[in-house]
């Protein structure tokens, strides 16, 4: 299998550009490789062999196809892979002690704005300036105490008691929520087909390699 020189050069150039981002000029890259006893010819050989293997893989698996009924059957047998989880869009106010949290709750009850109170009091510097907004998240992302409280709320509701976690005391407000749903087949069929095709191609190539091994005398030396 012959590797086109321009294709090999593309790989070499890509490596050089990557290394220059960390090392410096092209000459400095070449010197750094020399210092590590990595001659340019060795790197060329590495990329040439990798491109040869890639070309061989493409040739061996070129005729692999996936039937439409296989795609549909996989989708129907693995609904969990194509189900979007339930999510909530929440904001929080994080403070260090329960007393402060209760004072903020009293102010919320009096009609003050959640986002303004978050900007004023929250110790979470990552969300404070956004009114405590955490964006959407699904189960398994937040610590258990926070998650349980957030998913118990409906849009517009906030926790009536402070929620204690390892980070401090939270007041949590849910801004929106999205129920979990199974994605329609039409939306994911291309993804499923590509996934099955990749799996089938790996199987075909592995069988090809095993067949080569079975016909060869292989010696291992240490």
């Amino acid at each position: 299998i012959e590797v086109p020189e321009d294709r090999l050069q593309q790989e070499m150039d890509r490596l050089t550009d990557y290394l220059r981002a960390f090392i410096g000029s092209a000459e400095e890259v070449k010197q750094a490789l020399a210092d590590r006893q990595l001659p340019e010819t060795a790197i060329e050989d590495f990329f040439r062999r990798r491109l040869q293997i890639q070309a061989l893989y493409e040739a061996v698996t070129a005729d692999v196809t996936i039937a439409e009924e296989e795609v549909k059957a996989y989708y129907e047998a693995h609904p969990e892979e194509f189900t979007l989880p339930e999510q909530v869009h929440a904001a929080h106010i994080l403070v260090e002690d329960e007393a402060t949290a209760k004072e903020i709750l009293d102010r919320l009850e009096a009609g003050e704005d959640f986002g303004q109170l978050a900007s004023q009091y929250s110790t979470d510097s990552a969300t404070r300036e956004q009114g405590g907004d955490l964006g959407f998240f699904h189960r398994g992302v937040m610590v258990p105490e926070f998650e349980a409280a957030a998913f118990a709320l409906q849009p517009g509701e906030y926790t009536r008691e402070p929620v204690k976690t390892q980070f401090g005391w939270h007041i949590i407000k849910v801004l929106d929520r999205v129920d979990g749903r199974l994605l329609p087949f039409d939306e994911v069929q291309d993804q499923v087909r590509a996934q099955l095709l990749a799996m089938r191609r790996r199987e075909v190539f592995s069988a090809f390699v095993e067949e080569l091994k079975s016909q060869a005398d292989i010696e291992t030396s240490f």
Side-chain angles (χ1 to χ4, degrees):
I1 297 176
E2 295 295 330
V3 175
E5 289 302 315
D6 59 340
R7 183 73 180 87
L8 177 62
Q9 191 59 50
Q10 286 177 7
E11 293 295 318
M12 295 291 291
D13 291 344
R14 187 177 294 114
L15 173 65
T16 299
D17 290 342
Y18 175 80
L19 293 177
R20 286 180 64 181
F22 297 95
I23 297 175
S25 67
E27 286 302 318
E28 289 172 316
V29 169
K30 184 176 293 188
Q31 185 59 50
L33 294 175
D35 292 343
R36 291 163 177 77
Q37 298 184 332
L38 288 172
E40 190 169 339
T41 53
I43 299 173
E44 285 185 7
D45 289 343
F46 168 79
F47 280 118
R48 190 184 303 277
R49 177 58 58 87
R50 192 171 76 168
L51 290 170
Q52 286 176 321
I53 293 172
Q54 181 180 331
L56 177 62
Y57 183 90
E58 295 296 332
V60 170
T61 63
D63 295 330
V64 176
T65 59
I66 300 294
E68 189 65 27
E69 54 268 24
E70 292 181 86
V71 178
K72 190 65 178 290
Y74 187 91
Y75 170 81
E76 293 175 347
H78 301 85
E80 70 284 353
E81 294 185 22
F82 311 106
T83 299
L84 293 178
E86 177 188 19
Q87 297 184 76
V88 294
H89 180 188
H92 78 142
I93 302 171
L94 175 64
V95 294
E96 295 180 353
D97 59 89
E98 186 178 15
T100 302
K102 287 186 173 181
E103 289 178 16
I104 295 170
L105 278 171
D106 289 340
R107 294 177 65 172
L108 285 171
E109 291 289 339
E112 293 195 43
D113 181 71
F114 189 98
Q116 290 182 355
L117 289 171
S119 298
Q120 183 178 354
Y121 287 101
S122 184
T123 60
D124 181 0
S125 58
T127 65
R128 183 174 56 226
E129 298 307 316
Q130 291 75 46
D133 194 341
L134 293 161
F136 277 95
F137 57 88
H138 54 77
R139 295 183 189 274
V141 174
M142 301 297 184
V143 294
E145 305 90 340
F146 191 101
E147 177 184 288
F151 278 89
L153 299 171
Q154 294 300 317
E157 295 180 343
Y158 57 85
T159 49
R160 300 297 170 168
E161 293 292 333
V163 177
K164 189 177 188 308
T165 72
Q166 66 200 68
F167 304 106
W169 296 84
H170 307 257
I171 301 165
I172 305 166
K173 182 176 182 178
V174 165
L175 308 175
D176 196 3
R177 65 186 302 148
V178 177
D179 293 333
R181 67 182 182 94
L182 177 66
L183 293 171
F185 177 70
D186 290 346
E187 287 187 24
V188 299
Q189 60 178 325
D190 290 343
Q191 170 193 334
V192 178
R193 185 179 295 104
Q195 180 178 331
L196 293 179
L197 183 61
M199 291 170 56
R200 183 71 53 78
R201 293 179 79 184
R202 287 196 295 269
E203 291 169 358
V204 168
F205 192 74
S206 291
F208 169 77
V209 172
E210 291 304 316
E211 179 65 20
L212 290 181
K213 287 182 179 180
S214 70
Q215 299 174 10
D217 293 325
I218 300 175
E219 296 181 0
T220 302
S221 60
F222 297 95

